[in-house]
Amino acid sequence: MLRAFRNANESVLEACWGAIKSSPPCSLAEFSLRGLAASTKQAVTQTRSDGTAPRFYKKVDVGPVQGKDYGYTVMLDGRPLKSAAGRPLVLPNRYLALAVAAEWEWQDSRRIQPATMPMMTLTATAIDQPKPRAKVIKELLGYIDTDVVVCRDDPGTELAIRQEQAYKPLVAWANSFFGIQLLPSTSIFGSNQAESTTSQIHEYLTGLDNWKLGLADAMVCGCRSLVIGLALLNNKITVKEAMSISRLEEELQIEHWGLVEGAHDLDIADMKMKLAAATMFMRGLRM
């Protein structure tokens, strides 16, 4: 079953897992292993200094949630998995349950590595809500005035020309999609967007359910841009395009000064992993 899932999603999984292999340790280790003892009735004796823990289960499976008319869960040795906060790990459909189960199945026979489980992280975040929705929305809105797509270099420079080419289509999309008017700026202090712009985007974010708001947060933080992240969320651009646009200035610097190993390459791998996982999760929600 899990092998069939992997075959059906090979391209996305390759992008996600290829990035994971070269990512910094525990870059997505946001869910805790402490709740596993209660959720599986197995003892996780201790986590190691690198954030890993011994693998305590043999079999991974998925199935419908017992006693409910909807939802699927992941089972370790036949026991339903719970979140770190002890809540039932209920996913909207079988596809997403298989995606999370695959991460548990592919763990090393000797240890569990949370950093290699971005789908589980996204699931646990949506279910446990470690940050209140209002705080998440407020933090996302904080990107508006300093968003990369509206903060431009002085006209005529090589960077400014590339920014205009890359950002113009996204600004046009955002203006149409949200019914706003983004105002680009060359000020070192960022832009000063209209209150109506903030209000419209606030209304959009408030209307997202917990799953999609969690994905919006992951994509926006991954891209370090509200506009690019929301364009990715709404399938306007691909992961590759989102990375290229959000890293525009850094890539120009690399062209001139070269790539710094252990810095640029790890940042690229970490971004690719986060965005590929969030995009795959969004694909699952549409099924």
Side-chain angles (χ1 to χ4, degrees):
M1 177 175 59
L2 292 177
R3 181 175 295 178
F5 170 81
R6 181 171 187 173
N7 291 339
N9 298 276
E10 193 70 35
S11 60
V12 178
L13 290 171
E14 281 183 0
C16 190
W17 284 89
I20 284 172
K21 291 177 182 177
S22 52
S23 292
C26 300
S27 59
L28 267 180
E30 295 165 5
F31 78 92
S32 172
L33 290 168
R34 295 176 184 174
L36 293 179
S39 68
T40 62
K41 298 181 181 179
Q42 295 281 347
V44 179
T45 55
Q46 63 179 6
T47 56
R48 303 186 178 101
S49 59
D50 61 357
T52 66
R55 176 165 173 161
F56 57 88
Y57 57 92
K58 295 181 179 180
K59 184 180 179 182
V60 183
D61 207 344
V62 303
V65 177
Q66 297 297 317
K68 291 188 177 182
D69 296 330
Y70 66 91
Y72 284 78
T73 190
V74 178
M75 293 174 286
L76 304 182
D77 292 336
R79 300 183 178 93
L81 187 62
K82 293 185 179 180
S83 70
R87 296 184 176 90
L89 200 80
V90 180
L91 291 119
N93 56 52
R94 189 168 180 270
Y95 176 94
L96 288 172
L98 283 169
V100 174
E103 291 183 339
W104 288 97
E105 175 70 21
W106 298 338
Q107 292 302 299
D108 187 273
S109 60
R110 293 168 296 178
R111 60 177 181 168
I112 304 169
Q113 303 178 76
T116 64
M117 305 173 77
M119 299 293 284
M120 177 63 189
T121 295
L122 291 169
T123 301
T125 299
I127 292 174
D128 287 344
Q129 293 286 294
K131 289 189 294 185
R133 281 178 57 92
K135 184 175 181 180
V136 173
I137 292 172
K138 182 179 180 180
E139 290 177 354
L140 293 178
L141 292 174
Y143 282 86
I144 291 178
D145 288 334
T146 56
D147 199 291
V148 295
V149 303
V150 294
C151 294
R152 309 291 181 86
D153 200 27
D154 293 329
T157 65
E158 182 180 3
L159 177 58
I161 293 171
R162 294 193 185 189
Q163 287 174 330
E164 177 67 13
Q165 294 172 341
Y167 300 160
K168 187 175 180 179
L170 281 181
V171 169
W173 168 81
N175 287 343
S176 174
F177 187 82
F178 297 110
I180 59 177
Q181 188 63 46
L182 290 174
L183 305 172
S185 172
T186 58
S187 171
I188 60 173
F189 300 106
S191 65
N192 186 21
Q193 302 300 320
E195 290 185 11
S196 58
T197 294
T198 301
S199 177
Q200 287 291 96
I201 298 179
H202 180 276
E203 181 178 349
Y204 170 79
L205 293 173
T206 302
L208 297 177
D209 61 26
N210 288 346
W211 295 107
K212 291 181 181 178
L213 182 61
L215 294 179
D217 188 34
M219 290 177 173
V220 170
C221 293
C223 293
R224 298 183 283 271
S225 164
L226 181 66
V227 175
I228 299 173
L230 293 183
L232 181 61
L233 181 73
N234 286 280
N235 206 32
K236 173 64 178 177
I237 55 177
T238 64
V239 169
K240 184 177 181 180
E241 291 169 335
M243 291 183 62
S244 176
I245 297 169
S246 61
R247 291 184 48 83
L248 187 70
E249 185 171 353
E250 290 173 274
E251 289 301 322
L252 181 60
Q253 292 174 354
I254 290 173
E255 287 181 22
H256 288 293
W257 307 106
L259 182 142
V260 179
E261 293 186 5
H264 288 133
D265 52 346
L266 293 182
D267 182 57
I268 292 169
D270 189 54
M271 177 184 287
K272 187 175 184 180
M273 175 181 65
K274 290 177 180 179
L275 298 184
T279 300
M280 183 176 178
F281 207 106
M282 190 65 193
R283 174 190 294 178
L285 287 178
R286 295 191 180 109
M287 291 188 169

